Amino acid sequence: MQDLRQEDFLQKSRQQLYLYREQLKEEVLYKQLLLERIDTITDRSQTAHLNFGNHWVKTLPAYCFVPLVQGDADHYGAIEIPQEASRILFTDRVAPFWNFCFEEVGNHQLWGICLPQQFFQALHLPEIEGMRLRPQQTCLCSILDLGPIGKFDSNYAQPALAYLHQKGYEQGGTMTAILLGRGFEQGQFVRPVELYIPLRLKP
């Protein structure tokens, strides 16, 4: 305040007020984004336990995928993530907006970080080394339990794939599964995932 009073008091005061206002606007916009994200997670958590084994169709928005490690069921390689990518993604500001997920590649799973493109853009994040943009897709969805560590069955997606073909669709892209959490439920260790299978009508 003493510096403000020394010279051009009114102009300096206006500048400080403007800067403070911009700071508040950024905080409000961030909190709105965070609220939107929390609402999505809350809505899913309220119905996830009711949807185990169910199937439905929805649009999966475009997302950014940052690969971390290749897995074969519950056997994993070494995690690899560039230092700069880690510095961006694992901050308190960005971490609430992404999920761990995997993409099915051949007979293996490529685990990584899934960040919806809308949040990537709204947070004004820089390009991340190794990041891949996945387009918006119409998908068959299901919620599955991968079970305790060591019980991840490579046939986890067969019921969903069978349902997809029964309905006259075919797989139209790479299967993705978002990890919804892991922990104990009624004395059992669970790892629920939401599975997305891009679909198209059979010709």
Side-chain angles (χ1 to χ4, degrees):
M1 289 303 295
Q2 186 174 354
D3 290 340
L4 284 176
R5 294 191 187 103
Q6 294 301 315
E7 189 73 34
D8 299 326
F9 168 68
L10 292 177
Q11 180 181 350
K12 288 180 179 177
S13 297
R14 287 194 301 270
Q15 289 173 342
Q16 289 300 314
L17 287 170
Y18 175 79
L19 291 173
Y20 184 50
R21 182 177 184 275
E22 292 302 302
Q23 178 185 340
L24 288 176
K25 282 173 61 178
E26 288 184 12
E27 290 178 8
V28 168
L29 288 173
Y30 177 78
K31 291 296 175 66
Q32 288 175 335
L33 285 175
L34 193 57
L35 182 60
E36 182 180 345
R37 169 69 169 162
I38 296 301
D39 282 346
T40 299
I41 295 172
T42 301
D43 289 346
R44 186 165 53 199
S45 70
Q46 289 175 339
T47 57
H49 64 292
L50 302 174
N51 274 320
F52 276 103
N54 291 341
H55 308 290
W56 66 96
V57 174
K58 78 172 184 180
T59 299
L60 177 64
Y63 65 92
C64 304
F65 177 69
V66 182
L68 297 178
V69 61
Q70 182 170 297
D72 182 2
D74 275 327
H75 303 282
Y76 308 96
I79 293 177
E80 298 180 10
I81 181 169
Q83 185 175 0
E84 183 65 14
S86 178
R87 188 188 65 80
I88 294 169
L89 293 169
F90 292 96
T91 60
D92 290 342
R93 180 172 178 268
V94 178
F97 294 93
W98 53 256
N99 288 92
F100 282 116
C101 69
F102 65 80
E103 296 183 344
E104 193 69 28
V105 182
N107 295 321
H108 305 281
Q109 297 81 41
L110 184 60
W111 285 86
I113 285 172
C114 171
L115 174 63
Q117 186 184 29
Q118 67 177 107
F119 294 127
F120 180 86
Q121 293 173 336
L123 293 169
H124 305 293
L125 299 180
E127 286 295 319
I128 296 173
E129 183 181 348
M131 184 180 74
R132 306 166 188 181
L133 179 62
R134 303 306 191 212
Q136 175 178 297
Q137 298 180 91
T138 301
C139 299
L140 180 73
C141 306
S142 185
I143 292 184
L144 315 170
D145 178 16
L146 299 184
I149 303 299
K151 296 295 185 180
F152 185 179
D153 186 341
S154 59
N155 295 317
Y156 70 96
Q158 288 309 310
L161 288 169
Y163 180 85
L164 181 142
H165 293 300
Q166 174 192 336
K167 289 296 183 178
Y169 303 122
E170 61 183 11
Q171 185 176 342
T174 301
M175 282 194 299
T176 301
I178 291 178
L179 183 65
L180 303 183
R182 53 188 207 167
F184 285 89
E185 184 74 21
Q186 297 181 349
Q188 299 289 326
F189 186 80
V190 296
R191 286 182 291 171
V193 298
E194 186 163 325
L195 177 68
Y196 303 97
I197 306 176
L199 57 80
R200 60 174 173 245
L201 286 172
K202 291 181 180 179

